[in-house]
Amino acid sequence: MSFPLLTATAVLPAIGAIATAAVPAARRTAAKWLALLFSLATLALAITVLVRFDPDGDRYQLTESHAWIAEFGVRYELGVDGIAVVLIALTALLMPFIILAGWHDADPLETGSRRWRPTQGFFALILAVEAMVILSFEATDVFLFYIFFEAMLIPMYFLIGGFGDRAHEHGEKVASTQRSYAAVKFLLYNLVGGLIMLAAVIGLYVVAGNFSLQEIAEARANGTLDMATNTERWLFLGFFFAFAVKAPLWPLHTWLPNAMGEATAPVAVLITAVVDKVGTFAMLRFCLQLFPEASKWATPAILVLALISIIYGALLAVGQRDIKRLVAYASISHFGFIIMGIFAMTSQGQSGATLYMVNHGISTAALMLVAGFLISRRGSRLIADYGGVQKVAPVLAGTFLIGSLATLSLPGLAPFVSEFLVLVGTFTRYPVIGIIATFGIVLAALYTLVLYQRTMTGPVKAEVSAMPDLRVRELVVVAPLVALLIFLGVYPKPLTDIVNPAVKQTMSDVQKKDPQPEVEAAK
C-alpha cells in the first residue's frame, strides 16, 4: 500500500491544530512556534504533492479510496488534478506567512479593554482552516467535499468574531459589536448557501445512486446516466448558489467587506486568498463536470453577474475610506474576473481563471499583510489618517506599492498574465462582455494609485512621523511574496504547464472548443 500523501497533507495541520490548542496558556510563544513548524511541515508535503504530480498523466493522481458510509454510497475518496494541486500549494505556501504576520495579533490585550484571548486558540483555528481547505481541494466524493466545505465555517466564525482587528475609530465596545455582526453575517450567508447545496447533494444521490465525482462524470460522458434537463438545471443551481456565496459573486457578496474589515489582516488574507478560492475551484470541479449542459445553459446569466461584480466591486473600492474594506471590494472585482474566465468556456479563460486564483492569493496577501503592518503602527484603518509614510518608512511604502501595482495587474507582475488570459478568453467568445470588463482595469488603477497617493505621499502627518519601518519578521513575510509576484509575472510557465492539461479535460467535459480566429495567422 502506497503512502497516503494527500491524507497526510490534510491531517498534518489538523494534528498541528490539536497540538497547538493543547499548549498551556502561559506558553504563548511555544504555541506560536509549534503552529509555524506544523505549517512549514505541511508546506513540505504540499511541495512533495506538486513534484509527484505528472501534468501529462492521469486526470486524478495520488488517489485514495476507502469505504466510509457504505449504506449510502459515501466513500473517502481523494485525488488531485492540475487545478487542485496548484491551489493546495498556494494554501500551504500562504499559511506560514499568515502565522508570522499574526504573531502578536492574539497576544493579551491591555487591562480593561476586553477579555483576554487565548493565543494558542488563534493559531490552532488557523491550522484547522488549512486542514479543511486542503481536504476540500482533494475530495472527489461529493458528500466528503460538502462536509469540509461547511465545516471550515466554524473556525472562521471564531477567527472573525473572537480575534478581530483592534484598530477601530469608534472604540473597543463598538468594535466588538461590529466583529460579532461580521462573524454572524459570514456564518449565516454561507450556511444558507450550504443548506441549499445539501438539498442538491441529496438530489444528486437520488439521481446517480452514489457520490463519486469520477463515476458520475464518467456515466454522464458515456451516456449511462441521463439526467432530465430540468433536474440537471435545478441541481446545478443548488451547487452554484453555494459556490457563488463563498466566491463571493454579486449580489451574494455583502458578507465579505464586513468580514475582512473586522478581521485581523492575516485572517482577512485567510478569507479572501484561501477560503474563498474553494468556491471558484468548486465551480470548475463540480459544476462543469457534473452538470455540463446546465453550465452552458446558465453561462449568459453568470457572465452578466460576473461583469457586475467586476465593475461594482471596483466602483465601491474607489469610494472607500477604510483600507481593508477597499481591498475587500477590490477582491470582489477580482473574483468577478475569475468567474468570468471559468464560464467563458475557453481554454484561455479557464487557464487564466486558475492562474488568477493563485496570483490573486499572492498579491492580496502581499497588499493586505503590509496594510496590516501599517495599521498596527498607526492604530487606524482610515485612509485619511495617513500621509507621507514613504518618507519615514520607505521599505514599507515600497512593498505597499508593489502590492498595489500587482492588484491593478501591472505588466511584469503575476496577476497581469492571468487577467490578460481571462480577457482574451472571454473576448473570443463574448466580445461585448470582454470589452466592458476592461473598464475594471481602469478603475483598479484609480483605486490602487489613489490609495497609495493618499497614504504614502504628501506631507508627513504628525501621527506617522515616528513610524518605524518594516522589522525583520515582517520582511520575512513580505519579501518572498514580492519575489513570487515578480517571478510568476515574468515566467508563468511552471504554473501553466500544470494547469493547461486539466483545463483541456474540463473543456472536454462541457464539450466546448475554442473559437477559431477569423483571420488565419501568416505562415
Side-chain angles (χ1 to χ4, degrees), residues 235-247:
L235 294 177
F236 167 84
L237 290 174
F239 277 78
F240 181 80
F241 183 86
F243 303 152
V245 172
K246 185 88 79 179

Side-chain angles (χ1 to χ4, degrees), residues 368-423:
M368 180 60 85
L369 292 180
V370 176
F373 299 148
L374 179 70
I375 291 167
S376 67
R377 285 160 165 74
R378 173 68 176 84
S380 173
R381 306 191 320 235
L382 297 180
I383 297 172
D385 288 342
Y386 296 87
V389 174
Q390 68 179 11
K391 296 178 182 177
V392 296
V395 178
L396 188 155
T399 53
F400 191 84
L401 177 61
I402 294 173
S404 300
L405 294 176
T407 298
L408 65 84
S409 299
L410 183 78
L413 297 176
F416 169 76
V417 179
S418 44
E419 194 164 285
F420 176 77
L421 286 173
V422 166
L423 288 171

